[in-house]
Amino acid sequence: MILKNGSKGDEVSKVQAILGFAKPDGKFGPNTEAAVKAWQTSHNFPPDGIITDAIWAVLFPGESQPAQARETAFKLDKLRGHIPDVVINQIPVTAEKFGITNVLRLAHFLSQCGHESAGFTAVLENLNYSAERLKVKFAKYFPNNDYEAYARNPVKIGCRVYASRNGNGDEASGEGYKYRGRGYIQLTGKRNYTSFAAFIGEDTVNNPDLVATKYPLASAAFYFTDNRIWTVCDKGSSDAVVTTVTKMVNGGINGLPDRIKHFNEYYNLLK
């Protein structure tokens, strides 16, 4: 089901009522669209003003589609052999919760997750760096050139390089390591773990390993939502769009050919 500007009927009235309209009239016009966008923004959905099945499920949780029905929304069987089953099994619930409402969004999302996690194999940041690698990757965090004192010690490295940023305490707090990257697009920093906990309804602040074990895909979708990437995904299947999405995920274009390759693979399988 999709309700948008121009839609009419009881479903529109129901949405208007829950959004606080004094006199729901069942006509989806500019005022309803603006109210939907405001609700989407406050609930970390892309503010496109459209009521999809995913939005409806959040507005009316008692009437959400059963899991079996959700699984037919995408041709997920086409992905088997291309993406691990453990990932495919997470897609229906993740798609509903985070507004992955079309093939473009799903193909962009999976291609980015796959590259960032080395083919969906890495759900926890590897901080086991040599002194030489620390010089290349984290030089600015070692102004005293004390690389050897940290080399091959992931706990110390995490505490140093993530100290006093993204909501973490200082190096002595240990929070840099505690809230190191987890998930298929690595959720990093206490502030982000706190935001994700509020959204997902589970305490990932006191139990950060849940991001890696239970929510590796959902935490990546949260990143897309939090950074408003979904509406960019909607712009199309061109290499230019993949490049823009890559910059939003990666901060650059690292691994762009691989991301483009897998986007095209997943998009052609799913459409």
Side-chain angles (χ1 to χ4, degrees):
M1 174 181 63
I2 291 180
L3 301 175
K4 59 184 179 180
N5 201 332
S7 297
K8 298 178 181 179
D10 292 341
E11 291 85 1
V12 175
S13 294
K14 193 168 183 177
V15 169
Q16 291 171 327
I18 203 169
L19 293 179
F21 280 55
K23 296 181 178 180
D25 61 7
K27 298 177 182 179
F28 201 127
N31 291 338
T32 303
E33 184 178 50
V36 170
K37 287 181 177 180
W39 182 92
Q40 288 171 322
T41 299
S42 68
H43 288 77
N44 294 312
F45 280 95
D48 57 12
I50 298 172
I51 300 292
T52 63
D53 285 334
I55 300 295
W56 184 274
V58 177
L59 287 169
F60 308 104
E63 300 178 21
S64 59
Q65 292 176 295
Q68 186 175 5
R70 291 195 306 265
E71 290 172 4
T72 64
F74 294 108
K75 302 172 184 176
L76 298 184
D77 282 345
K78 301 267 188 180
L79 295 175
R80 299 199 186 278
H82 300 266
I83 289 176
D85 285 354
V86 67
V87 178
I88 294 173
N89 293 339
Q90 295 173 63
I91 291 173
V93 172
T94 302
E96 179 180 316
K97 194 167 189 68
F98 292 93
I100 306 175
T101 54
N102 57 53
V103 169
L104 276 172
R105 290 187 179 192
L106 184 56
H108 279 296
F109 176 58
L110 292 175
S111 63
Q112 295 295 329
C113 287
H115 184 85
E116 291 289 320
S117 62
F120 300 99
T121 62
V123 293
L124 185 63
E125 184 175 11
N126 180 9
L127 291 169
N128 188 23
Y129 295 114
S130 66
E132 290 303 314
R133 185 59 181 160
L134 286 175
K135 291 178 186 178
V136 173
K137 191 171 180 67
F138 294 121
K140 69 179 181 180
Y141 299 108
F142 293 89
N144 298 320
N145 296 320
D146 49 346
Y147 301 104
E148 293 294 345
Y150 288 77
R152 298 301 180 190
N153 190 325
V155 176
K156 288 185 67 176
I157 291 171
C159 290
R160 165 66 73 89
V161 302
Y162 292 130
S164 302
R165 59 193 183 109
N166 290 330
N168 294 335
D170 61 15
E171 185 173 350
S173 74
E175 290 183 343
Y177 181 75
K178 182 176 182 179
Y179 300 112
R180 65 196 184 280
R182 293 178 176 87
Y184 293 133
I185 295 179
Q186 295 184 345
L187 190 72
T188 308
K190 187 176 182 179
R191 182 179 297 111
N192 290 322
Y193 277 75
T194 301
S195 296
F196 181 64
F199 187 94
I200 207 70
E202 194 152 1
D203 190 0
T204 55
V205 177
N206 289 314
N207 302 285
D209 283 333
L210 286 172
V211 174
T213 59
K214 187 175 181 179
Y215 298 114
L217 195 68
S219 61
F222 176 78
Y223 180 90
F224 266 61
T225 297
D226 200 41
N227 289 277
R228 303 182 184 278
I229 302 176
W230 298 122
T231 51
V232 178
C233 298
D234 292 340
K235 292 182 178 180
S237 59
S238 67
D239 290 357
V241 176
V242 178
T243 301
T244 301
V245 174
T246 298
K247 289 178 180 178
M248 297 180 78
V249 170
N250 179 255
I253 55 171
N254 178 52
L256 180 60
D258 181 69
R259 298 172 202 257
I260 291 173
K261 171 189 172 184
H262 284 102
F263 168 78
N264 289 327
E265 176 188 356
Y266 303 150
Y267 184 61
N268 288 324
L269 286 167
L270 288 164
K271 68 181 182 179

